[in-house]
Amino acid sequence: MPDRKWLLRATLMIFPFLLSQSGHAANWDKVSMNGYFSFEYEKTFEGDKEEDTNGSFDLDLIDLVFNINATDKLRIATDLTWEHGSASEDGRGNVAVEYAFAEYTINNLLRVKAGKMFTHFGIYNEIHTAKPANLTIKEPLSTNKNNKFGSDIRFYPRWLTGVALTGDGDLGGWGFDYDLQLSNGETEDDGANPFEEDDNPHKAFNGRVRLTPMEGMRVGFSFYDDAMQDPDNDGERFELSSYGVQVEYDTYDSCGVEFEYIVGTVDMTAVSSGEIDRDALSLMLFYHLNDRLIPYIRYESLEPNDDVDDDEAMKTIAGLNWMVDQNMYLKFEVDQVQTRKNNDKFEGADFTEFKASLSIGF
Amino acid sequence: MKLRHISARVLLCLPLLLVSAAKADTFILVNKDAGFGSMDKEQVKKVFLGKAKQWDNGVPVNACLEEADDAALSAFYKDYLGKSPSAYQAYWNRLLFSGKGVPPQTFGTIEEITAFVRVTKGAICFATVAGNIPENVVVLK
């Protein structure tokens, strides 16, 4: 396995050169390269939990995004990432394929995709690493990283490998777009790679539809369903299902809103004991002071298990997004976390962090 | 979205001022293979915001923008796309980095724009033109 990881990292490093050295030389008119860069600083300055009291700089990531128009109807897209100062010799950082898929356009209403993709759910999952595409420094923990906020398992996996249908259209004057994905899902088995094989016959099925009823507003509904193998109970599966609603409103000249609410169930009946019902929300308000300055506040809350008292986690952030130059953003934030005593991750700790970041899109 | 099919023989039309700019007239130029001669604002918006990837005749949409003077480009963004330049950038950041689409190409000169439109199937470009409209390029009403 270590040899395969080294090979993957080496391949990702020289990917642009491989393109030009292939048997069919690349036509660079068909290839576009973009990307984004993120550099961060954070320090915990108050509270019970010592997340980072030293204050740390972080070369968060640099991503290269390639789009190749192989034919008039066929696009290959990939996002390659190098995170936290990747240094494979020392086992530091991370090198990964965020997504790599082929997309064939049949018409505007129907495009077919195959490969590794972000899970199309909610507002933030597809843009959680693309820091220039987000007002805030990090995505909400409650709805998007609940396993780091007190839940045992996420509402849905970050990435999926499989096939998908997607498209855009109009319905009665409302614009809409949709995504449907059929995939291997995720796995709890550390030895299995869900981007290569499915560890059980049950395929994950998820989707999202977003409606644009008026200029600047978008409403969306998402669902995710999968059965996963429990590595501690051979042959037994538990079922993961989640449902989400989202509202986005932004006319780019005054107030704006981003709201997500997710409910989910982890059905452990076949494995051990009953169901775990959980839910989470994230609500952000922001205001365009002018074309460059956008202050924001966000409130998040997570209920990891309805049947367990005092396990909730809440987070409130207040920050400022400053577009210093075209597609170059400085962000400054104060994040306050409050948790209850039975929260699995923080065990009742409350703490406050200061964060700053530089995000650049290119 | 339905885009009108109009015979190529009636596509050429007199240049029409779409957006007034301080220094030059501005137009939307279209490759004849796109198969139509007029669009409304909503259709222009769908094209430049990545909602339309194909014309009705199956030809792929290839959108581009001239890196025009700030006033002209800002007016195009505002009048046709309903966005400021920074809002346009923010919109395409989300689409591009999530893998959902690729923004319109940009070119620095009208010569590059017209060369692109002439040879690229389904090309549609926003441009400023000082002087005569180039040949073999359709100017939309």
Side-chain angles (χ1 to χ4, degrees), chain A residues 108 170 179 215 291 327, chain B residues 45-46 53 86 93 100:
Chain A
N108 288 322
D170 286 292
D179 297 278
E215 184 66 41
D291 219 28
N327 227 356
Chain B
K45 187 175 174 180
K46 282 182 175 156
K53 292 185 170 37
S86 61
N93 276 349
K100 280 282 193 177

Side-chain angles (χ1 to χ4, degrees), chain A residues 125-273:
Chain A
N125 192 54
E126 296 132 302
I127 54 170
H128 75 275
T129 62
K131 304 303 173 73
N134 284 290
L135 279 182
T136 59
I137 294 176
K138 302 282 190 192
E139 74 276 28
L141 286 180
S142 57
T143 53
N144 285 260
K145 227 171 175 177
N146 57 308
N147 58 321
K148 304 288 185 189
F149 212 31
S151 294
D152 283 338
I153 189 170
R154 294 172 55 97
F155 284 109
Y156 54 86
R158 272 264 192 253
W159 305 273
L160 298 169
T161 286
V163 295
L165 303 178
T166 186
D168 298 86
D170 286 292
L171 195 63
W174 289 19
F176 73 88
D177 67 86
Y178 76 93
D179 297 278
L180 290 171
Q181 292 171 290
L182 185 70
S183 67
N184 293 340
E186 186 49 275
T187 179
E188 291 288 279
D189 181 353
D190 289 341
N193 177 5
F195 311 129
E196 178 183 11
E197 65 177 313
D198 199 334
D199 63 355
N200 68 79
H202 190 287
K203 288 288 169 281
F205 181 54
N206 68 284
R208 180 185 62 198
V209 61
R210 295 183 296 193
L211 305 167
T212 305
M214 58 187 270
E215 184 66 41
M217 173 173 277
R218 190 163 62 180
V219 179
F221 306 92
S222 308
F223 71 92
Y224 181 87
D225 179 79
D226 190 19
M228 299 170 67
Q229 208 89 343
D230 186 337
D232 297 328
N233 290 276
D234 258 356
E236 297 298 334
R237 297 202 291 269
F238 63 90
E239 296 191 14
L240 177 69
S241 52
S242 302
Y243 304 91
V245 61
Q246 65 191 82
V247 177
E248 302 162 87
Y249 179 74
D250 191 359
T251 56
Y252 296 96
D253 57 9
S254 62
C255 294
V257 176
E258 288 180 2
F259 170 75
E260 272 192 327
Y261 179 69
I262 303 178
V263 294
T265 300
V266 184
D267 187 347
M268 308 289 287
T269 309
V271 176
S272 55
S273 55

Side-chain angles (χ1 to χ4, degrees), chain B residues 4-12 32 35-38 138:
Chain B
R4 284 178 242 153
H5 292 272
I6 298 176
S7 165
R9 284 175 289 182
V10 300
L11 287 178
L12 286 172
K32 286 182 181 177
F36 61 90
S38 64
V138 175

